[in-house]
Amino acid sequence: MFLLGGESKVDGNRNGYVIVTAALPYANGEIHLGHVTSTYLPADIFSRYLKLKGRKVLYISGTDDHGTPILIQAEKEGIPPEELVRKWLSRDIEDFSKLGIEFSIFYKTHSPENIELTQRFFENIYKKGFIFKQEIEQWYCGNCKRFLPDRYVVGTCPFCGAENQYSDGCEVCGRAFPSYMIKEPKCIVCGSTPFLKESIHYFFKLSSFSDQLRGWLVSNSNLQPEVRNYVLKWIEDGLKDWDITRDISWGVPIPLNEKDAEGKVLYGWFDNHLGYIAFTYKYFRDHMGEEVDTRKIWNSSVIYHFIGKDIVYHHYLFLPAMRMAEGSFKLPDYLPTRGHLLLQNEKFSKSKGWYISLRNFLEIFPPDYLRFYLALTTPYSQKDVNFDWDDFQLKLNNELIANIGNFIHRVLTFTYSYFEGIVPEPSEMEELDLKFVDDLKQAVRDVGELMDEIKLDKALKRILDFSTSCNRYFQSSEPWGKRDKGKTCIYLSINAVRTLSILLWPFIPFTIEKLWNTLNIPKSFRNSSLISWSSVSELKIKPGHKINKPSVLFKRMDKEIMEQKEKFKKKH
RNA sequence: AGCGGGGUGGGGAAGUCAGGUUAUCCCGCGGGGCUCAUAACCCCGAGGUCGGUGGUUCAAAUCCACCCCCCGCUACCA
């Protein structure tokens, strides 16, 4: 019996682990803003939020190492695939850490842990009779001496005659078709003409799981309705059994002692789905020793798999069906799915240079600027997100700097120059002050609810609304015009700054940690009640507390943005 | 071709599932205020027949039907 996810709410199981995973980046290229937008940033913001709430959170990901593209790339570079994936693993870790993406573990599918788990997994579902063999015909390049995946064969569309189309579909007429139908096929690597060749492959009986999958999709109320409907439609149309082997050497060997299994490996999507579990094993072995029962922990955790919409099929059909077939690992409770990133309203294209790598971006802009902008513009839905330089500039200048930055800075400098940095004793609260305290409490409640629902963009908007009301309060209180220099206003405002800092930490951690230094909240206090979700709406900063000399948290970057705008002007 | 998502004042978005007083927010625009703050902040105002047509209802951006337009996805692309 498999363990159905979906009933666990994050607050329902307060002592257990929360396992947050981010879909694995393929280990043959650099991380770009698209990866970050749909997957790694939302997952990071969310796990930071859970940490503030005092939850035991594991944030898990790693590289997806296997498959033909990596093999070919390694050949091109003249290095073994092991070396290629090792290179990308360390590159990815560097890039992510510069953005403040804090994984508990970022590991790799080409690891003993994952290979072992994958083989065991295969054996288990093989024994249960969910694997069968079938002969298939595939394009084979005689020159490269290998079978070619569909995307490694180009040719002429059998329907509209458009040239240079991938063998599984035509971008010109929009039709999808079986690969063998393509006219005048060419190997994308060497250009020679491939031929169709037979090979025995192993298939997973995905179709047997239609009812169970439907049941899971319908009963798991945590899934996004639009994605659920999308996947249900596929089940209605009939699921095809899934070819889970490939005729290459790079991957997890099929753990069977028979001739048909020789020279073949398991398909990358078979082993990378198990990476989440294998990496969790690795984490516990490293941190708690061999005797930890990871399976038990896994099954008693609340599980979130963050993904981009391009891999919905794999995560809503293949992954759950595999776990159902094997039967001992729980399904995800949540599968937060987000859309793609467009650049100036056009699709990213590496070959056309129309994309932004994370590394290049962070060479120019501070990580928090990117985190803020993307978090604010990426909804909890499959809708695509547009990265637009004008919009980036506007949002930074008007929302981050002029709203949040301004409030924090005006409060801190006021305190510093009129009270020598010492938080004043408040006088009796007036109606305006009491109302502000209510506003603060309401804001915290709203933000918490939205964060729990993973609606991170709306949560951030709500924080901005709160910041606006902070500015409004400060403005109407006019502390500068009062004889006592508005002691109550400053006391409440400083506390509002602390509240804001906690609300904002998951989004812009670098800046907030700087701010905590200015607020004179020592590092040792940062896991205490001073910095935690449970105290976020309290007035924790007491009169007499001394703050440090404030400095500007955000600087405007109009010149740098202008340069980028020039660079990404219409090229066509 | 099929399926999914969307079309809301000049630009970008929220609201639509659970229909209801002057349709919300940011930018931009016009006017005013404040001076603590990174020309930042606060207030007031102009501007929308909520893609089209028809229907249900006392009442529709919101529900139903049909149509138009835009975007995305379609399993061996990881």
Side-chain angles (χ1 to χ4, degrees):
Chain A
M1 187 56 206
F2 58 90
L3 298 122
L4 221 57
E7 282 157 30
S8 312
K9 298 282 181 189
V10 75
D11 277 331
N13 176 25
R14 293 209 57 87
N15 294 319
Y17 279 90
V18 183
I19 297 177
V20 175
T21 75
L24 315 183
Y26 201 52
N28 75 338
E30 63 185 342
I31 302 298
H32 58 63
L33 263 44
H35 294 117
V36 171
T37 306
S38 64
T39 308
Y40 306 99
L41 181 59
D44 185 69
I45 293 169
F46 187 66
S47 51
R48 282 172 184 270
Y49 164 69
L50 294 177
K51 277 180 206 162
L52 279 177
K53 289 185 89 165
R55 300 303 309 265
K56 289 188 281 184
V57 186
L58 297 182
Y59 181 14
I60 285 169
S61 192
T63 52
D64 177 12
D65 296 336
H66 297 135
T68 309
I70 283 180
L71 195 58
I72 291 174
Q73 180 67 29
E75 281 171 18
K76 260 187 214 166
E77 295 184 22
I79 54 173
E82 286 88 346
E83 196 179 321
L84 181 76
V85 301
R86 208 178 309 131
K87 188 181 89 183
W88 284 113
L89 174 69
S90 55
R91 237 324 263 280
D92 289 354
I93 289 174
E94 265 177 46
D95 288 358
F96 281 132
S97 83
K98 280 182 192 148
L99 187 64
I101 307 289
E102 281 185 353
F103 295 108
S104 308
I105 178 170
F106 189 84
Y107 202 39
K108 54 190 176 180
T109 60
H110 191 69
S111 59
E113 292 84 355
N114 190 54
I115 292 168
E116 188 198 317
L117 177 67
T118 300
Q119 292 190 327
R120 208 170 75 218
F121 216 87
F122 179 91
E123 285 162 4
N124 288 346
I125 61 179
Y126 184 83
K127 279 181 210 148
K128 292 188 179 183
F130 293 121
I131 306 279
F132 66 94
K133 287 194 275 188
Q134 191 179 317
E135 188 173 75
I136 61 156
E137 273 199 329
Q138 258 190 300
W139 291 112
Y140 185 85
C141 177
N143 184 40
C144 297
K145 293 192 175 50
R146 75 170 139 246
F147 283 96
L148 299 169
D150 290 356
R151 286 287 161 119
Y152 279 81
V153 177
V154 292
T156 304
C157 171
F159 292 99
C160 74
E163 291 179 0
N164 207 27
Q165 297 301 313
Y166 288 122
S167 72
D168 60 347
C170 173
E171 286 194 324
V172 176
C173 68
R175 277 170 217 271
F177 42 82
S179 185
Y180 64 78
M181 287 176 75
I182 194 84
K183 306 288 182 203
E184 297 164 47
K186 293 267 181 299
C187 167
I188 207 172
V189 179
C190 72
S192 55
T193 304
F195 55 91
L196 290 167
K197 188 178 171 181
E198 305 81 37
S199 171
I200 301 277
H201 276 217
Y202 294 79
F203 282 73
F204 171 63
K205 285 188 185 169
L206 182 65
S207 55
S208 322
F209 293 90
S210 300
D211 290 339
Q212 288 182 46
L213 284 167
R214 191 186 296 112
W216 171 66
L217 286 162
V218 170
S219 66
N220 186 338
S221 61
N222 299 328
L223 303 176
Q224 288 151 282
E226 85 253 32
V227 191
R228 174 191 296 128
N229 293 338
Y230 183 55
V231 179
L232 280 173
K233 182 68 189 163
W234 272 73
I235 296 175
E236 296 317 311
D237 291 348
L239 294 176
K240 291 183 207 162
D241 291 326
W242 185 33
D243 181 357
I244 53 166
T245 51
R246 292 292 181 272
D247 299 271
I248 54 172
S249 56
W250 178 241
V252 178
I254 303 169
L256 291 175
N257 271 322
E258 55 185 45
K259 193 159 189 312
D260 290 333
E262 282 172 20
K264 297 189 178 87
V265 297
L266 293 167
Y267 181 35
W269 276 111
F270 190 86
D271 77 70
N272 74 23
H273 278 162
L274 296 167
Y276 303 129
I277 301 171
F279 303 167
T280 306
Y281 266 97
K282 166 80 173 160
Y283 175 87
F284 281 116
R285 270 181 209 169
D286 288 353
H287 289 79
M288 297 164 89
E290 294 284 337
E291 66 284 359
V292 176
D293 188 345
T294 302
R295 183 180 304 205
K296 199 172 159 192
I297 295 177
W298 178 275
N299 287 331
S300 60
S301 299
V302 183
I303 298 172
Y304 292 77
H305 287 327
F306 282 73
I307 65 167
K309 71 174 182 182
D310 51 329
I311 49 178
V312 160
Y313 294 105
H314 309 89
H315 286 77
Y316 280 75
L317 293 173
F318 303 153
L319 180 150
M322 279 170 62
R323 289 195 195 161
M324 287 169 179
E326 200 270 348
S328 59
F329 291 98
K330 187 180 141 170
L331 271 61
D333 297 289
Y334 294 79
L335 277 162
T337 305
R338 286 179 167 80
H340 289 153
L341 186 69
L342 307 174
L343 176 55
Q344 313 271 107
N345 271 316
E346 288 182 42
K347 279 168 92 170
F348 270 41
S349 164
K350 265 192 180 176
S351 53
K352 291 175 191 158
W354 194 255
Y355 84 111
I356 307 174
S357 80
L358 179 56
R359 175 163 291 212
N360 288 344
F361 193 92
L362 293 180
E363 276 164 8
I364 304 168
F365 300 101
D368 281 348
Y369 285 25
L370 184 61
R371 295 177 65 107
F372 178 83
Y373 179 68
L374 292 180
L376 190 60
T377 49
T378 307
Y380 180 46
S381 77
Q382 292 198 92
K383 201 170 169 183
D384 288 336
V385 182
N386 186 29
F387 187 96
D388 180 275
W389 286 105
D390 284 314
D391 192 48
F392 179 64
Q393 184 173 25
L394 284 172
K395 292 246 169 25
L396 287 182
N397 287 349
N398 297 317
E399 315 267 16
L400 182 65
I401 300 177
N403 186 353
I404 292 173
N406 177 60
F407 175 69
I408 293 172
H409 197 243
R410 74 198 297 199
V411 171
L412 296 183
T413 50
F414 196 96
T415 308
Y416 202 77
S417 47
Y418 287 91
F419 297 101
E420 285 87 42
I422 295 167
V423 178
E425 188 79 41
S427 333
E428 184 125 358
M429 301 260 186
E430 292 172 20
E431 200 186 329
L432 189 66
D433 308 310
L434 292 170
K435 194 185 158 295
F436 180 59
V437 175
D438 283 346
D439 278 356
L440 184 148
K441 289 184 173 161
Q442 188 58 48
V444 167
R445 277 194 292 272
D446 292 347
V447 172
E449 263 175 43
L450 292 165
M451 294 296 280
D452 286 338
E453 294 168 10
I454 334 175
K455 294 176 179 166
L456 310 176
D457 60 323
K458 292 189 178 166
L460 185 52
K461 275 175 197 139
R462 185 64 185 85
I463 296 172
L464 283 161
D465 282 348
F466 172 56
S467 179
T468 298
S469 72
C470 290
N471 271 313
R472 193 176 291 145
Y473 168 69
F474 198 89
Q475 190 78 29
S476 343
S477 294
E478 295 186 334
W480 54 86
K482 291 185 177 159
R483 193 176 306 143
D484 70 355
K485 291 289 170 225
K487 287 181 176 175
T488 309
C489 169
I490 297 309
Y491 167 73
L492 288 181
S493 295
I494 282 273
N495 274 288
V497 168
R498 187 197 72 106
T499 297
L500 268 176
S501 78
I502 296 169
L503 297 178
L504 283 167
W505 179 74
F507 296 94
I508 49 171
F510 295 94
T511 307
I512 295 305
E513 281 162 27
K514 217 170 101 186
L515 172 62
W516 286 339
N517 287 336
T518 306
L519 282 176
N520 196 15
I521 297 175
K523 278 221 160 68
S524 55
F525 280 85
R526 295 206 183 148
N527 288 316
S528 73
S529 66
L530 212 48
I531 301 297
S532 79
W533 197 265
S534 58
S535 74
V536 64
S537 55
E538 294 171 23
L539 307 176
K540 278 279 178 187
I541 299 188
K542 297 301 173 197
H545 179 85
K546 188 164 187 334
I547 63 165
N548 294 315
K549 187 176 187 340
S551 57
V552 167
L553 289 176
F554 309 103
K555 84 178 199 287
R556 290 176 69 114
M557 301 198 68
D558 299 307
K559 189 171 145 273
E560 290 84 351
I561 293 171
M562 201 66 94
E563 284 166 13
Q564 294 302 313
K565 254 193 254 181
E566 278 303 310
K567 204 170 140 192
F568 286 94
K569 240 177 188 165
K570 295 282 169 209
K571 286 184 174 173
H572 24 262

